[in-house]
Amino acid sequence: MAITTQNPTPPTAAKHAGANVTRPGDKIFAGLSRGSGILLLVVMASIAIFLTIRAINAISKDHGNFLTTFEWNANANPPVFGIAVLAYGTIVSSIIAMAIAVPIAVGIALFISHYAPRRLASPLSYIVDLLAAVPSIIYGLWGALFLVPHLTGLNMWLDEYLGWTVVFEKEDPQGAARSIFTVGILLAIMILPIITNVSREVFRQVPRMHEEAALALGATRWETIRMSVLPFARSGIISASMLGLGRALGETMAVATVLSAAPILSVHILDPVGGTFSQNIVAKFGEANEFGRDALIASGLVLFVITLLVNGAARAIIAKRKEYSGANA
């Protein structure tokens, strides 16, 4: 009588079979992750639908051109309002803020991560983190009571030596510095901690062997940073800059406290005229009727779209340059 024996399952096969088993914890985590992503899309869609419905109601009754009218008088009969001045002020002040903040923030992040000794880097990082925690209204009060008076001399100097560029020409050189230029400087100070903190963490993720290889080939400290650190961190710097730009575009209280808003579109960034979306909303919301609030929501929709376009452009830039980044190394 022949006795047949069944061969035991090989350990390797058993291992692979166990790997295909989905544990309850994995299912729960996958479900929560998927639900969080869907919830985010639902919230974004709800915001977009709400803004669009209220905006259409206002724009359909506007007796001016919503895109080109300078005046904002939504409570009038008939209502006349437009976003030309607001869009210009928002974009110009944000560009000024980014032009000032990004180079300084990247320099601070490089100093903390690559140049400063540890006993200095830690306190400096802590101070930068504290700047990010300061409320917007505090920045606004500081800007109105300290920054505005102390920028009069700078405005006079810019008007005297750079007034020929038209951009820095000012009708009243000794007037108060409640202008788009001052707003840009204040926004630069406000977004500086965000860009610095994110850039600093990105610089710390650069593989040490990249820097050591450059130094071993005889590169100086700056050449090492330029050839090894900055290319690796390019995507991170762009992301940090977009985070800062998002705050600059939507800042409200600080801008409303500093800027002397006027429905005038001027290329002279030192003149106390202009306005921004957020500043206009906070200034007009209290006195607005039901239709006026719809008009302000319409301007908020434009700001919402601008923010989405900016972030989409940033994502496209990052994806385009991904192959040149050390992130894939």
Side-chain angles (χ1 to χ4, degrees):
M1 179 177 179
I3 300 176
T4 59
T5 59
Q6 186 175 3
N7 294 330
T9 304
T12 304
K15 181 179 179 180
H16 286 294
N20 295 327
V21 176
T22 302
R23 299 179 180 179
D26 295 333
K27 293 182 179 180
I28 294 174
F29 181 76
L32 291 175
S33 301
R34 187 179 298 106
S36 299
I38 295 173
L39 177 62
L40 176 63
L41 295 177
V42 170
V43 170
M44 291 290 293
S46 301
I47 294 174
I49 293 172
F50 168 77
L51 293 176
T52 302
I53 293 175
R54 300 291 292 268
I56 292 174
N57 178 54
I59 296 174
S60 63
K61 301 175 182 178
D62 184 11
H63 280 66
N65 190 305
F66 182 68
L67 298 178
T68 60
T69 300
F70 292 179
E71 180 184 359
W72 188 277
N73 196 356
N75 293 333
N77 190 15
V80 178
F81 57 91
I83 62 168
V85 174
L86 306 179
Y88 176 81
T90 300
I91 294 173
V92 171
S93 61
S94 299
I95 290 175
I96 294 172
M98 294 294 290
I100 296 174
V102 172
I104 297 176
V106 172
I108 295 173
L110 283 173
F111 177 74
I112 293 175
S113 60
H114 286 79
Y115 286 94
R118 185 178 297 274
R119 63 179 180 275
L120 178 61
S122 296
L124 190 57
S125 300
Y126 180 71
I127 293 173
V128 173
D129 292 338
L130 285 180
L131 287 176
V134 176
S136 298
I137 188 62
I138 302 301
Y139 279 112
L141 293 174
W142 175 81
L145 300 177
F146 178 83
L147 188 61
V148 169
H150 286 79
L151 282 181
T152 303
L154 176 60
N155 284 1
M156 296 174 62
W157 185 90
L158 291 172
D159 178 68
E160 181 178 357
Y161 293 100
L162 297 177
W164 57 270
T165 63
V166 180
V167 175
F168 293 105
E169 182 181 359
K170 187 176 182 182
E171 294 183 1
D172 183 11
Q174 297 183 349
R178 294 182 173 274
S179 61
I180 292 294
F181 180 69
T182 303
V183 170
I185 294 176
L186 183 61
L187 290 176
I189 297 172
M190 296 179 67
I191 67 177
L192 193 67
I194 300 174
I195 303 176
T196 300
N197 288 338
V198 177
S199 299
R200 179 190 65 203
E201 296 304 319
V202 172
F203 292 151
R204 287 178 174 173
Q205 299 301 319
V206 177
R208 186 64 182 173
M209 60 181 177
H210 288 191
E211 300 181 48
E212 293 176 349
L215 292 172
L217 293 173
T220 62
R221 178 65 66 87
W222 162 241
E223 289 173 338
T224 300
I225 292 174
R226 181 170 59 85
M227 294 185 298
S228 300
V229 178
L230 294 179
F232 181 91
R234 183 183 292 112
S235 298
I237 294 174
I238 295 174
S239 300
S241 301
M242 291 305 104
L243 287 175
L245 179 58
R247 181 173 185 182
L249 288 171
E251 183 52 48
T252 303
M253 294 307 301
V255 177
T257 307
V258 170
L259 182 63
S260 292
I264 300 174
L265 195 153
S266 174
V267 296
H268 310 310
I269 62 175
L270 301 181
D271 288 338
V273 296
T276 66
F277 286 113
S278 302
Q279 170 270 329
N280 184 64
I281 291 173
V282 73
K284 304 290 186 181
F285 194 85
E287 62 187 30
N289 54 26
E290 184 68 22
F291 179 81
R293 286 193 287 272
D294 286 347
L296 293 174
I297 290 174
S299 67
L301 175 62
V302 177
L303 180 59
F304 182 75
V305 172
I306 291 175
T307 304
L308 291 181
L309 292 177
V310 168
N311 283 276
R315 294 291 299 178
I317 294 173
I318 293 174
K320 183 178 179 181
R321 295 181 175 272
K322 187 176 182 180
E323 63 270 19
Y324 300 107
S325 173
N328 295 328

